[in-house]
């Protein structure tokens, strides 16, 4: 400690050969130095003493133990130092004020060149900043920024109170320098840098926000998805609820079979082979990519949930209908997140981010990366869902298991029973509007199956599902099950069982007597053949029968209701909306199917109503038929991957078509519309033929080779004219019907 005493350091720094006497030492601890007062002979100047000591210290450097890399330096005090003990601490910036030498006098503002010549000896100057010319602050000042702190300390202590004479640029009366430390104010430095470098700061900020989002919100979202799949927050699945329910059931003896379950037993018995096949596929270790196709109302969802997956714990049901029908990106993201339990979701932030990105692009010329497309947002939702499903699949693994050494992927491949089951309902619903949602779901489902994370089952009404799924798994064969309408025998059993177990409107449970059930048995057989084997229609029939209606009357009302639906949805042109077909095309199929239960697909396409329609918004007849199939007016049957025939969308529609064609006024009106359109088509062809004939007639000479072409055009013109004349006669008869009948 004695070696660090200022007195000791001063004695070591002054060589013995220098004839000076130290009179006083004033330590300045906060400045890291000391003032030394000394006296010297008259023949020796202070500058010479300074030079001698500097030369000595350069040859014999003194380095304190607490700072072994810096040697002691000295400087001659040229001004009048201010020895203060205020809470002012050194800084690399020194403020130099230009004060007059006497009260009331004038001080000159020193130039940067003068300041540089005065202060450069104490160390390297990084910057000299003069007072702004429009500043009204007095006294005038300048800022000196030294490269090192110790250099600023030396300059301040040596030059404070120094007087600059006139010949040195200090004015007539001279100028006194007052020095003080000034802290560098950087309150807006970061903000100014960020604003001044948007091409760097905005992408970095976007990456930072994304990182924080992933680190904080993704685990929360994964937790909620797992809770959704495991039904952790549903009261009905809790043990307390089940205990109260069992106690209440025993207390009040509310024991009766569920009517729907009882009536569906007949169907499940008929479809036992399909159920067993599904359960077998779910136990295989290979990729499980199952498609269950069938018309709406054929019981696909009930078959999977109530029978094939009965007893399974981890089932995720995703309904594509609300996702596809959502309007706007925010609504689509919200609907998709709701289906899998993905929360919290900030769908509204997508619009704000898009505005920010647009503003940034207009400012700096490039996108900032804040906004995310719908594709990216959906990919995040499905990615988090896949992570949650994998965690669910392996959460029951224990270190004591025989296969504990296996990796997670190998474990899931060896234990297909551990994998959750993902059911994608209403797949390809309204797929003609946009395929983005279905493409992302297909790709995600393909990753789930190939990584052995989950079994995936698609439920769809569309027979062309292979086109969409083939993009995601082009090298795989789908395992598919086609569900159609049930047979008349099973349909009859379904209705009778439903009647036996259905409660009447008064609330009393009663079964039909054997006599009542068999009185209309023959009539019921006939009605079931007319109604077909669609489950929704059969259940509707059973409910009507329970109200006391006879089978014929109930079926007749169902047919009339179906006919009204067909009129409203397909034939009336009050508001076309997004229809891709014309009423004439829909009526063409209704009229043809009323006479024939099955039509040739290609024959319909070749008809003028579909091949040359002038009123349909769709470009091809195939697109029209596909749209009508999606709307369930018709059903397209395929063979070996190609469309083969066309049938009614539901069995009951066959009878509804016949009922509609029996309405002479309606038939006349729509037949008139078809003939009018055909007449326009042929008139357009006639105009084309006549135009070409006029062009040929305008030739100065008629070459011999033109003769066959002219004859061909005249023949086509004659045929078209005959068609138009025949149609006009039919149109006259139809108009007569419309004017005479109501």
């Amino acid at each position: 400690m004695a070696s660090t005493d200022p007195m000791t350091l001063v004695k070591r720094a002054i060589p013995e050969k220098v004839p000076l006497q130290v009179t006083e030492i004033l330590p300045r601890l906060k400045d890291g130095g000391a003032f030394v007062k000394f006296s010297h002979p008259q023949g020796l100047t202070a500058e010479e003493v300074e030079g001698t000591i500097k030369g000595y210290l350069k040859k014999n450097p003194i380095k304190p133990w607490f700072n072994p890399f810096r040697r002691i330096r000295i400087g001659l005090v040229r001004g009048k130092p201010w020895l203060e003990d205020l809470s002012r601490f050194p800084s690399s910036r020194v403020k130099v004020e230009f004060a007059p030498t006497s009260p009331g006098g004038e001080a000159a503002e020193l130039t940067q060149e003068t300041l540089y010549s005065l202060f450069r000896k104490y160390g390297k100057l990084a910057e000299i900043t003069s007072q702004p010319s429009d500043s009204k602050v007095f006294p005038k000042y300048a800022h000196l920024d030294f490269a090192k702190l110790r250099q600023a300390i030396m300059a301040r202590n040596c030059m404070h109170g120094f007087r600059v004479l006139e010949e040195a640029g200090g004015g007539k009366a001279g100028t006194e320098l007052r020095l003080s430390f000034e802290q560098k104010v950087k309150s807006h430095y970061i903000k100014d840098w960020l604003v001044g470098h948007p091409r760097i700061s905005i992408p970095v900020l976007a990456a930072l926000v994304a990182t924080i989002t992933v680190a904080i919100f993704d685990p929360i979202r994964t937790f909620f998805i797992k809770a959704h799949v495991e039904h952790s927050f549903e009261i009905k699945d809790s043990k307390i609820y089940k205990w109260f329910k069992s106690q209440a059931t025993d207390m009040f003896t509310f024991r009766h079979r569920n009517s729907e379950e009882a009536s569906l037993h007949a169907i499940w018995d008929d479809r036992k082979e399909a159920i067993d096949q599904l359960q077998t596929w779910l136990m295989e270790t290979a990729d499980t990519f199952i498609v269950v196709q069938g018309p709406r109302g054929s019981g696909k969802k009930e078959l999977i949930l109530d029978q094939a997956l009965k007893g399974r714990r981890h089932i995720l049901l995703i309904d594509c209908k609300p996702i596809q029908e959502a309007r706007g990106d925010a609504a689509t993201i919200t609907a998709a997140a709701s289906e899998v339990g993905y929360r919290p979701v900030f769908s509204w932030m997508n619009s704000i981010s898009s505005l920010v990105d647009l503003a940034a692009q207009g400012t700096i010329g490039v996108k900032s990366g804040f906004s995310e497309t719908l594709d990216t947002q959906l990919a995040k939702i499905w990615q988090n869902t896949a992570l949650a499903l994998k965690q669910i699949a392996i959460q029951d693994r224990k270190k004591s298991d025989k296969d504990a050494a296996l990796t997670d992927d190998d474990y899931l491949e060896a234990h297909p029973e551990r994998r959750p089951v993902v059911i994608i309902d209403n797949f390809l619903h309204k797929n003609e509007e946009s395929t983005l949602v279905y493409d992302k779901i297909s790709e995600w489902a393909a990753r789930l199956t190939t990584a052995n994370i989950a079994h995936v089952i698609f439920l769809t009404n569309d027979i062309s599902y292979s086109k969409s799924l083939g993009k995601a798994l082009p090298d795989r064969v789908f395992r598919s099950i086609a569900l159609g309408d049930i047979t008349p025998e099973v349909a009859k059993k379904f209705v009778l069982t439903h009647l036996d177990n259905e409660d009447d409107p008064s609330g009393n449970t009663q079964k039909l007597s054997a006599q009542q059930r068999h009185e209309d048995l023959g009539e019921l057989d006939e009605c079931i053949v007319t109604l077909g084997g669609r489950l929704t229609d059969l259940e509707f029939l059973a409910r009507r029968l329970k109200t006391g209606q006879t089978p014929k009357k109930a079926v007749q009302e169902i047919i009339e209701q179906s006919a009204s639906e067909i009129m409203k949805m397909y034939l009336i042109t009050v508001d076309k909306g997004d229809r891709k077909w014309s009423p004439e095309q829909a009526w063409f199929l209704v009229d043809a199917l009323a006479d024939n239960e099955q039509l040739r697909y290609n024959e319909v396409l070749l008809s003028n109503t579909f091949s040359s329609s002038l009123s349909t918004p769709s470009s091809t007849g195939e697109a029209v038929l596909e749209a009508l199939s999606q709307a369930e007016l018709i059903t397209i049957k395929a063979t070996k991957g190609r469309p083969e025939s066309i049938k009614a969308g539901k069995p009951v529609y066959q009878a509804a078509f016949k009922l509609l064609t029996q309405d002479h006024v309606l038939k006349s009106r729509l037949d008139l519309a078809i003939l009018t359109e055909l007449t326009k088509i042929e008139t357009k062809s006639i105009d084309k033929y006549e135009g070409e004939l006029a062009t040929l007639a305008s030739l100065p000479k008629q070459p011999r080779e033109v003769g066959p072409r002219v004859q061909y055009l005249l023949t086509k013109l004659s045929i078209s004219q005959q068609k138009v004349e025949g149609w006009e006669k039919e149109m006259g008869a139809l108009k007569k019907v419309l004017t005479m009948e109501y």
Side-chain angles (χ1 to χ4, degrees), residues 388-404:
L389 291 173
K390 185 173 183 179
Q391 292 178 2
I392 292 173
I394 63 176
Q395 65 183 0
D396 293 333
R397 291 193 68 181
K398 298 179 181 178
K399 294 182 179 180
S400 58
D401 294 341
K402 295 181 180 179
D403 50 7

Side-chain angles (χ1 to χ4, degrees), residues 127-138:
E127 184 60 63
I128 300 176
T129 307
S130 301
Q131 184 179 3
S133 59
D134 58 347
S135 175
K136 298 181 180 180
V137 177
F138 288 95

Side-chain angles (χ1 to χ4, degrees), residues 470-481:
K471 299 177 183 178
L473 286 175
D475 56 342
R476 303 296 174 91
V477 178
F478 311 128
R479 300 178 177 182
S480 60
I481 292 179

Side-chain angles (χ1 to χ4, degrees), residues 45-57:
T45 63
E47 287 76 8
E48 293 176 350
V49 173
E50 179 188 13
T52 302
I53 297 177
K54 282 185 176 180
Y56 174 76
L57 291 177

Side-chain angles (χ1 to χ4, degrees), residues 183-435:
Q183 300 295 329
K184 291 184 178 180
V185 180
K186 297 183 180 180
S187 58
H188 303 291
Y189 180 78
I190 296 178
K191 184 190 75 173
D192 294 341
W193 191 91
L194 292 176
V195 173
H197 301 78
R199 295 194 177 189
I200 299 175
S201 59
I202 293 179
V204 170
L205 182 60
L208 184 62
V209 171
T211 303
I212 294 175
T213 302
V214 171
I216 297 177
F217 290 107
D218 275 14
I220 299 175
R221 289 163 176 165
T222 304
F223 168 77
F224 278 110
I225 294 173
K226 290 176 62 177
H228 178 78
V229 177
E230 296 176 337
H231 309 288
S232 302
F233 298 138
E234 291 190 10
I235 300 177
K236 292 183 179 180
D237 294 330
S238 65
K239 295 181 180 180
I240 299 177
Y241 175 84
K242 292 179 179 179
W243 182 83
F244 275 109
K245 183 179 179 181
S246 63
Q247 296 299 317
T249 302
D250 295 339
M251 185 181 301
F252 298 105
T253 63
F254 291 153
R255 297 180 178 178
H256 60 274
R257 296 178 62 190
N258 186 287
S259 60
E260 293 184 358
E261 291 181 357
S263 58
L264 288 173
H265 278 316
I267 301 174
W268 305 146
D269 293 340
D270 183 59
R271 294 177 173 175
K272 191 174 186 308
E273 183 179 353
I275 296 171
D276 294 340
Q277 182 64 68
L278 282 168
Q279 292 176 343
T280 302
W281 285 341
L282 293 174
M283 293 303 296
E284 294 180 358
T285 58
D287 301 344
T288 312
F289 205 80
I290 304 172
V291 181
V292 179
Q293 188 274 331
R296 188 170 301 168
S298 57
K300 300 184 295 296
K301 187 176 179 180
E302 293 79 4
L303 176 74
I304 299 299
L305 291 176
D306 298 340
Q307 296 300 313
L309 301 180
K310 188 175 183 180
R312 274 193 176 260
R313 293 172 52 199
H314 303 139
I315 300 174
L316 175 60
L317 176 63
I318 300 176
D319 191 355
C320 298
K321 184 177 181 180
I323 303 176
Q324 182 69 6
E325 292 181 350
R327 292 293 177 260
D329 291 352
T332 303
I333 293 169
T334 303
S338 177
E339 290 299 318
V340 298
Y342 179 92
R343 62 176 65 90
V345 55
F346 307 110
S347 56
W348 52 271
M349 282 295 294
N350 197 42
S351 302
I352 298 177
S353 300
S354 299
L355 295 177
V356 173
D357 201 2
L358 184 62
Q361 186 175 4
T363 304
I364 64 178
V366 296
K367 290 186 177 182
S368 63
F370 271 109
S371 63
E372 293 181 335
T373 61
L374 176 62
D375 189 350
T376 307
Q377 293 278 4
L378 291 176
K380 282 186 176 181
I381 294 175
W382 305 134
Q383 183 179 359
N384 278 75
T385 306
L387 177 61
L389 291 173
K390 185 173 183 179
Q391 292 178 2
I392 292 173
I394 63 176
Q395 65 183 0
D396 293 333
R397 291 193 68 181
K398 298 179 181 178
K399 294 182 179 180
S400 58
D401 294 341
K402 295 181 180 179
D403 50 7
L406 295 176
T407 62
D408 291 341
D409 294 339
D410 294 338
Y411 176 82
L412 292 175
E413 184 177 1
H415 295 275
E417 72 281 359
R418 297 288 188 182
R419 306 176 205 165
V421 180
V422 178
I423 303 173
I424 301 175
D425 194 13
N426 288 318
F427 186 67
L428 299 180
H429 171 74
K430 291 186 177 180
N431 64 322
E432 67 276 2
E433 297 180 1
S434 173
T435 60

Side-chain angles (χ1 to χ4, degrees), residues 711-727:
Q711 186 62 37
Y712 169 79
L713 292 174
L714 291 174
T715 304
K716 297 290 290 185
L717 183 62
S718 175
I719 295 173
S720 297
Q721 181 61 26
Q722 292 176 5
K723 289 182 180 180
V724 171
E725 291 176 357
W727 289 337

